[in-house]
Amino acid sequence: MPYNPLPRSARRVRVPAALAVTSVLLLGAAAPGQPGATGGAVAVGAEPVGRMPLGPADVPTRTRPADVLAPGVTYRKFWQGEASDSWAVWVRHPGSGTETLGSRADADALAASVNAAGFTARVDTFTVPASVDTDSRIVGYGVRVGRFAADRREHAVLSRQASAAAGFTNSRIFFTAEDGGPSRGPWQVRVITVAPSAQVTLKAVHGKDIQAPRR
């Protein structure tokens, strides 16, 4: 069940693209080889190499042979997991504008009205996990429409427009990672290895974001 006990402004959102790592910029070195493609979480021909301590235990880490960037300098990328979060439309109550409903009956009623308008709604339950001081408990419910892949946000936009035309004008697009539940990834770690004899200069830099990897 989704875990979403905090207001949206207080939550940290996981970025679906990759795990952030420090980039290394190589200066003054020729680059006869180029890094491999950075598309899907598992590339064609990738081999399992154990696993990083991320996500469920059944998710292996995969990699391919290292690329040679310059004599004594190699680049290797490791993948783990697959996309488990998606874009959706979070339906607000058309009368009160409420997004997180306090009772299951109210959530079921809203979902029924969404279904009657021609959509397929689901009711997600938000819980607080058990701790040393409190038991696990339900803190609310949300009515959602759609499960669109991480690279299909535009489909969620169209779904929101359609729901707005049907009278649910306060709905918003969100990524299910906001719920803070368990993730299966994907994660990426990129490693540049530099031999002591390599004729290169190293400089640490920070990218503008972690969704668009530096090349």
Side-chain angles (χ1 to χ4, degrees):
M1 294 188 295
Y3 163 59
N4 188 8
L6 299 177
R8 185 185 179 207
S9 60
R11 295 195 295 268
R12 292 183 179 180
V13 180
R14 295 191 308 275
V15 178
L19 181 69
V21 295
T22 303
S23 298
V24 177
L25 179 63
L26 303 178
L27 304 177
Q34 296 295 330
T38 58
V42 177
V44 176
E47 296 295 332
V49 290
R51 66 180 304 276
M52 295 180 283
L54 299 168
D58 65 333
V59 179
T61 301
R62 296 177 181 272
T63 189
R64 291 186 303 193
D67 294 296
V68 177
L69 303 183
V73 182
T74 60
Y75 168 89
R76 199 172 191 184
K77 186 172 70 172
F78 298 85
W79 302 265
Q80 183 166 299
E82 67 276 346
S84 56
D85 291 302
S86 57
W87 293 101
V89 178
W90 195 334
V91 181
R92 294 179 186 268
H93 192 282
S96 65
T98 303
E99 183 175 79
T100 302
L101 303 170
S103 76
R104 180 62 192 242
D106 290 340
D108 287 342
L110 177 57
S113 64
V114 173
N115 290 334
F119 303 92
T120 301
R122 67 181 184 275
V123 176
D124 288 339
T125 304
F126 307 135
T127 62
V128 173
S131 68
V132 294
D133 298 321
T134 62
D135 295 329
S136 177
R137 65 185 188 278
I138 296 173
V139 295
Y141 305 88
V143 177
R144 279 86 177 270
V145 172
R147 297 183 189 273
F148 305 104
D151 60 349
R152 295 291 184 269
R153 184 180 185 277
E154 67 276 11
H155 293 180
V157 172
L158 294 175
S159 182
R160 181 181 65 177
Q161 293 173 348
S163 65
F168 303 97
T169 56
N170 293 324
S171 303
R172 70 174 175 93
I173 296 171
F174 83 109
F175 197 67
T176 57
E178 291 185 38
D179 288 335
S183 175
R184 294 185 64 85
W187 298 278
Q188 292 180 14
V189 172
R190 302 157 190 258
V191 178
I192 292 179
T193 303
V194 182
S197 59
Q199 300 298 306
V200 297
T201 300
L202 304 182
K203 179 181 179 181
V205 298
H206 289 87
K208 295 181 179 179
D209 57 57
I210 61 175
Q211 289 183 307
R214 296 177 64 90
R215 295 179 184 272

